[in-house]
Amino acid sequence: MHYTIFDTPVLRTLLRWFSLIMLRLLGWRLVGDFPRDKKYVLIGAPHTSNWDFPFTLMFCFAGGAKLYWMGKHTLFSGPAGPMMRWLGGISVDRRQKNSLVEQMIEVYQRSDSLVVAVPPEGTRSRVSEWKTGFYHIACGAQVPIALGYLDFSRKQGGVMGLFQPTGDIAHDMPLIRARYRDVRGKCPYNQ
């Protein structure tokens, strides 16, 4: 993977303190520790607003987590591209069926440590079903799924724990979604 903001020692420390102070000033609190595992898929739900990204970064800095995230390829074009990659972004072109799951599994297999954040809804808009790529990546890479969240109604965020997928998606997906039943995004009408 590429060099990110999380690899910059002085800046990482400054951003940790900045994030802790900002979250406190805004009335937010970090609940739960980020897993100590070297590899896992971090899902974040609900994803209802552009505000999810800066809050997620603040929670990651505050909690000492280093993560990568997948974003629309349009975020990585032009002058913003290098900045997005430095922030941990991995460009994804959702218009193509290019075995993204298999590519991510290979990246996990080549990496000693890797955390990739994936919004299971795949969009900020309302969806009836979650995308399943995160689940297939976790199964194929044989890594757990960390259940990350931002609850705007309670002003708290963090990780609810790890979920070890069994490979039976019909059984596991309702269990995962049930953990988010009481979590409210910034724009609940998009949930």
Side-chain angles (χ1 to χ4, degrees):
M1 297 304 308
H2 48 270
Y3 184 79
T4 71
I5 193 170
F6 298 99
D7 299 315
T8 311
V10 172
L11 191 53
R12 180 181 61 222
T13 301
L14 291 173
L15 286 170
R16 179 174 190 274
W17 284 106
F18 172 80
S19 296
L20 288 167
I21 291 167
M22 284 303 297
L23 289 169
R24 176 166 262 205
L25 287 173
L26 294 170
W28 283 75
R29 64 188 176 99
L30 175 63
V31 178
D33 294 325
F34 282 86
R36 300 256 184 249
D37 299 49
K38 290 187 174 194
K39 294 190 214 181
Y40 56 91
V41 173
L42 173 67
I43 62 171
H47 181 36
T48 65
S49 163
N50 284 332
W51 284 104
D52 296 345
F53 180 69
F55 274 97
T56 297
L57 284 179
M58 283 194 291
F59 275 105
C60 288
F61 282 118
K66 175 186 176 179
L67 71 103
Y68 292 90
W69 49 274
M70 293 188 287
K72 278 195 280 192
H73 69 285
T74 55
L75 291 172
F76 297 87
S77 59
M83 175 64 84
M84 291 297 161
R85 281 185 281 285
W86 186 61
L87 290 171
I90 301 169
S91 176
V92 174
D93 189 344
R94 294 186 290 187
R95 299 171 301 177
Q96 298 177 358
K97 299 259 186 219
N98 59 352
S99 67
L100 172 66
V101 169
E102 288 80 11
Q103 289 176 40
M104 289 306 300
I105 290 169
E106 288 175 17
V107 172
Y108 269 97
Q109 290 170 343
R110 288 193 313 264
S111 302
D112 291 330
S113 65
L114 179 62
V115 176
V116 177
V118 181
E121 295 102 334
T123 179
R124 292 177 310 276
S125 303
R126 185 180 184 91
V127 296
S128 58
E129 295 295 322
W130 282 4
K131 305 271 185 201
T132 58
F134 76 90
Y135 185 87
H136 295 296
I137 292 168
C139 285
Q142 299 178 337
V143 298
I145 299 166
L147 307 176
Y149 73 101
L150 291 173
D151 190 327
F152 280 80
S153 66
R154 294 184 185 107
K155 287 194 167 187
Q156 66 184 39
V159 178
M160 293 186 268
L162 288 174
F163 184 90
Q164 188 63 51
T166 65
D168 182 354
I169 195 167
H171 175 265
D172 291 349
M173 205 60 124
L175 297 175
I176 295 169
R177 286 193 69 160
R179 296 291 301 273
Y180 291 91
R181 187 175 311 130
D182 297 327
V183 179
R184 297 289 168 251
K186 177 150 181 61
C187 304
Y189 49 84
N190 283 342
Q191 284 182 235

